[in-house]
């Protein structure tokens, strides 16, 4: 069977136009520490999970000479991301760990920041900046039900932690324990998540690239699937890469969805999600237009993949705009235009 994703995606530098966009919207900011600074560790210790399995993360340690400077800079970085950037709270913060991931495109650092007054802690991530990921994060912020907090400067990307149960863990350890009602809720959310990823061309949503977020309502648990990896934004040519239903790691969710939901229900949830995407795109029209301007002027894929994807979308929709697209930005713009044109709510009861 042919692999959907056969090669590692290259990193693309952030263009001047995208950098100007990020500056305008408060994403491009002066920072006290860069990704390359964290690479100066003296050694690492492997991190294993509770079952003794290698997590592919290692705990980094630094020389005594550099440790204090790095930890102070990381505290400042946390404060810039989550507060007003002042130094007032720095004495109450501690850097408990600096972990480095040996797997993935951006080779991230995971920083655990603890408040020493109450022992509450939070994670933040420092990664190599890649324009594909930045586009993915910004599109998630504008088009999904979730807001994303991130900062960029030079070759460094800082992201907040997205809380939830990793998808692969949830499928392996929690899914079978869910009630029939909960499974139907999860199936509904998977249909909507699948549609959301496909419409905005976010690829590679294998189970370990998203989390399951559980919210306790007064009489039930609400489930939401949130993407946590945005490296594969508008890069691959195979249309199936953008549909989580075709990734083997999600097979159990796919089989459960087909068993529990009727075809009419699946189609209804798809239409609901397309309508919501159209509404979000319309409400963020000005900012989205600016972002699409950056993306249509940028190179974030290869000619072969662009040609493959646009022709597959043309065959699927019959929309000639896809066929005329010359890059990934234009393909995505055509996809959003298609959704807005066909699924924007024309409710006759709305006062205009």
């Amino acid at each position: 069977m042919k692999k959907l994703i056969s090669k590692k995606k290259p990193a693309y530098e952030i263009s001047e136009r995208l950098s100007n966009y990020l500056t305008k919207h408060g994403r491009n900011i002066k920072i006290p520490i860069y990704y390359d600074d964290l690479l100066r560790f003296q050694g690492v210790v492997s991190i294993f999970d509770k079952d003794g399995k290698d997590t592919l993360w290692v705990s980094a340690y630094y020389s005594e000479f550099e440790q204090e400077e790095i930890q102070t800079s990381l505290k400042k970085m946390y404060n810039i991301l989550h507060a007003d950037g002042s130094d007032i709270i720095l004495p109450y913060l501690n850097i408990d760990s600096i972990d480095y991931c040996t797997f993935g495109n951006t080779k991230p650092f995971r920083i655990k920041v603890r408040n020493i007054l109450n022992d509450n802690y939070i994670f933040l991530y420092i990664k190599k900046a890649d324009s594909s990921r930045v586009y993915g994060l910004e599109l998630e912020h504008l088009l999904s039900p979730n807001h994303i907090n991130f900062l960029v400067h030079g070759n460094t990307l800082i992201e907040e932690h997205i809380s939830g149960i990793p998808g692969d863990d949830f499928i392996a350890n929690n899914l079978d324990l869910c009630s029939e009602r909960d499974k139907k809720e999860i199936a509904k959310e998977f249909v909507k998540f699948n549609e959301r990823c496909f419409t905005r061309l976010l690829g590679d949503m294998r189970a370990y690239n998203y989390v399951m977020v559980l919210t306790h309502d007064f009489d039930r648990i609400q489930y939401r699937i949130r993407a946590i990896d945005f490296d594969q934004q508008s890069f691959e040519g195979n249309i199936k890469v953008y549909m989580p239903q075709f990734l083997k790691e999600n097979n159990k969710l796919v089989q459960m969805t087909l068993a529990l939901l009727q075809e009419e229900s699946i189609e209804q949830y798809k239409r609901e999600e397309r309508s919501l995407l159209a509404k979000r795109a319309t409400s963020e029209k000005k900012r989205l237009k600016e972002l699409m301007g950056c993306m249509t002027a940028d190179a974030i894929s290869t000619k072969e993949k662009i040609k493959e994807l646009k022709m597959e979308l043309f065959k699927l929709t019959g929309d000639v705009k896809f066929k005329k697209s010359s890059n990934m930005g234009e393909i995505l713009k055509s996809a959003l235009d298609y959704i807005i044109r066909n699924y924007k709510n024309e409710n006759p009861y709305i006062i205009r």
Side-chain angles (χ1 to χ4, degrees):
M1 182 177 176
K2 182 182 176 183
K3 288 185 177 180
L4 293 184
I5 303 172
S6 56
K7 295 182 179 179
K8 185 176 179 181
K9 187 193 81 68
Y12 293 96
E13 289 187 12
I14 293 175
S15 67
E16 183 179 354
R17 185 165 178 173
L18 178 57
S19 181
N20 291 337
Y21 168 91
L22 295 169
T23 300
K24 179 179 178 180
H25 294 286
R27 303 288 202 190
N28 208 351
I29 195 166
K30 293 179 181 177
I31 56 176
I33 192 166
Y34 293 87
Y35 178 87
D36 290 345
D37 296 329
L38 293 175
L39 291 173
R40 304 198 306 260
F41 49 77
Q42 274 201 326
V44 297
V45 178
S46 296
I47 299 174
F48 299 90
D49 64 15
K50 56 182 173 50
D51 299 317
K53 184 179 178 182
D54 192 345
T55 63
L56 303 180
W57 286 84
V58 294
S59 183
Y61 58 90
Y62 298 82
S63 68
E64 188 176 344
F65 173 74
E66 291 188 307
Q67 185 171 339
E68 184 176 348
E69 177 188 350
I70 287 174
Q71 291 198 353
T72 300
S73 296
L74 289 172
K75 292 177 191 178
K76 290 180 179 178
M77 187 68 261
Y78 163 86
N79 205 24
I80 292 169
L81 185 65
H82 289 286
D84 61 359
S86 67
D87 292 345
I88 296 173
I89 68 169
L90 296 189
Y92 310 115
L93 300 178
N94 188 70
I95 304 300
D96 279 7
S97 63
I98 303 172
D99 301 332
Y100 178 64
C101 184
T102 58
F103 177 76
N105 289 331
T106 52
K107 295 287 196 316
F109 284 92
R110 179 179 62 199
I111 317 300
K112 183 179 180 181
V113 185
R114 179 173 54 89
N115 186 311
I116 63 175
L117 297 179
N118 52 36
D119 274 347
N120 285 333
Y121 64 86
I122 197 168
F123 292 102
L124 61 90
Y125 296 84
I126 298 179
K127 307 175 180 180
K128 292 179 183 177
D130 171 28
S131 63
S132 301
R133 188 174 186 90
V134 171
Y135 284 123
L137 286 163
E138 191 68 6
L139 287 164
E140 179 78 0
H141 183 75
L142 297 176
L143 297 177
S144 82
N146 315 300
H147 289 298
I148 296 282
N149 189 15
F150 71 94
L151 300 172
V152 181
H153 192 81
N155 72 334
T156 301
L157 173 65
I158 302 97
E159 293 178 34
E160 68 178 354
H161 176 67
I162 298 175
S163 300
I165 304 172
D168 51 348
D169 284 353
F170 185 87
I171 291 170
N173 303 315
N174 300 88
L175 188 59
D176 290 337
L177 303 177
C178 292
S179 67
E180 194 79 356
R181 179 178 177 177
D182 283 349
K183 286 180 180 178
K184 287 181 180 179
E185 285 282 338
I186 295 166
K188 171 186 174 181
E189 173 58 22
F190 183 70
V191 171
K192 294 169 81 71
F193 178 66
N194 189 79
E195 199 63 29
R196 199 156 61 237
C197 291
F198 174 53
T199 303
R200 50 151 304 187
L201 298 182
L202 176 62
D204 194 21
M205 281 300 107
R206 286 175 278 189
Y208 50 77
N209 285 334
Y210 59 78
V211 295
M212 189 71 70
V213 182
L214 281 60
T215 304
H216 289 265
D217 207 346
F218 69 95
D219 66 343
R220 62 174 180 160
I221 297 175
Q222 289 187 323
Y223 295 86
R224 175 174 291 172
I225 301 175
R226 289 195 64 178
I228 59 173
D229 192 315
F230 302 92
D231 291 341
Q232 287 281 349
Q233 174 65 50
S234 305
F235 173 73
E236 292 290 345
N238 190 332
I239 198 172
K240 291 183 178 180
V241 171
Y242 303 103
M243 301 180 190
Q245 71 184 79
F246 289 112
L247 302 173
K248 64 179 182 180
E249 290 81 1
N250 299 323
N251 281 348
K252 194 170 181 178
L253 282 180
V254 173
Q255 292 165 5
M256 182 190 76
T257 299
L258 293 174
L260 294 178
L261 298 183
Q262 296 179 352
E263 190 175 333
E264 293 83 0
S265 293
I266 292 173
E267 195 58 36
Q268 173 199 340
Y269 296 141
K270 285 182 178 181
R271 292 186 67 87
E272 284 182 11
E273 194 58 36
R274 290 168 191 167
S275 180
L276 285 170
L277 276 161
K279 289 176 182 177
R280 294 184 193 114
T282 302
S283 66
E284 294 286 355
K285 186 176 181 179
K286 185 177 178 181
R287 184 163 171 174
L288 191 58
K289 183 179 179 181
E290 291 177 36
L291 184 65
M292 289 296 95
C294 298
M295 202 169 177
T296 53
D298 213 342
I300 54 172
S301 189
T302 65
K303 290 181 180 179
E304 295 75 19
K305 293 181 185 297
I306 292 166
K307 183 178 180 181
E308 181 184 3
L309 182 61
K310 74 177 185 179
M311 293 310 296
E312 288 194 19
L313 287 169
F314 171 66
K315 290 176 185 176
L316 180 68
T317 65
D319 189 340
V320 74
K321 283 189 175 181
F322 288 113
K323 195 174 183 180
K324 292 180 178 179
S325 299
S326 60
N327 57 46
M328 283 297 186
E330 290 183 5
I331 293 174
L332 179 56
K333 185 178 183 302
S334 297
L336 296 177
D337 288 345
Y338 179 86
I339 289 295
I340 293 170
R341 188 167 64 249
N342 290 284
Y343 295 96
K344 184 180 177 182
N345 187 8
E346 296 294 345
N347 192 328
Y349 296 97
I350 295 175
I351 297 174
R352 302 184 188 279

